Amino acid sequence: MNATTQRRALVLFAHGARAASWAAPFERLRDITQARLPDCEVTLAFLELMEPRLPAVVAGLVERGVFEVTVVPVFLGQGGHLLRDLPLLAEGLRAAHPQLTLNVVGAVGEDPDVLAAMSDYCLKALG
């Protein structure tokens, strides 16, 4: 990339859990997505119970020269964490990194294509 190109990153934002094995599907999603986006850094961040947390991930991206970050909540729906916690985190990140463009999209589970893929999986379960 040349100096005039803005570097972008995609952050997959998950809840987190006490069991380390819980993160495995999210790590696979990150790796699959990264393979499809070789010119965009794809990372994983957690809200709680696991590391790295979103503020640390974004700070690291900014330190590496990323100017645009899109956060994709890998949640099934827009519950309290996405309605209250994530907007507060985003506000704090924008204040801490005013040079950064931070985009936060809706929960992955609210996308019609994702729901269709999940429905296909459920139908296949019937055999």
Side-chain angles (χ1 to χ4, degrees):
M1 271 183 223
N2 65 44
T4 61
T5 303
Q6 284 194 345
R7 294 193 53 208
R8 298 181 309 151
L10 183 65
V11 177
L12 307 179
F13 180 65
H15 184 277
R18 286 180 179 81
S21 61
W22 178 89
F26 300 97
E27 292 164 348
R28 288 192 302 272
L29 176 62
R30 177 202 56 212
D31 295 346
I32 291 165
T33 306
Q34 182 65 77
R36 296 179 67 186
L37 290 169
D39 295 332
C40 179
E41 186 170 350
V42 179
T43 63
L44 182 58
F46 300 98
L47 174 65
E48 58 188 15
L49 304 173
M50 298 184 113
E51 297 292 334
R53 302 283 177 91
L54 186 60
V57 168
V58 170
L61 291 168
V62 170
E63 285 174 14
R64 290 192 298 283
V66 173
F67 298 101
E68 182 181 343
V69 173
T70 298
V71 176
V72 177
V74 284
F75 286 64
L76 285 181
Q78 298 279 108
H81 287 311
L82 298 187
L83 294 173
R84 289 185 302 275
D85 300 333
L86 183 53
L88 288 173
L89 280 170
E91 181 181 319
L93 291 168
R94 288 182 183 110
H97 309 285
Q99 74 280 30
L100 178 70
T101 299
L102 182 70
N103 305 304
V104 179
V105 301
V108 71
E110 305 233 347
D111 181 85
D113 292 334
V114 173
L115 290 174
M118 291 172 67
S119 176
D120 289 346
Y121 177 83
C122 293
L123 294 174
K124 284 193 311 189
L126 288 175

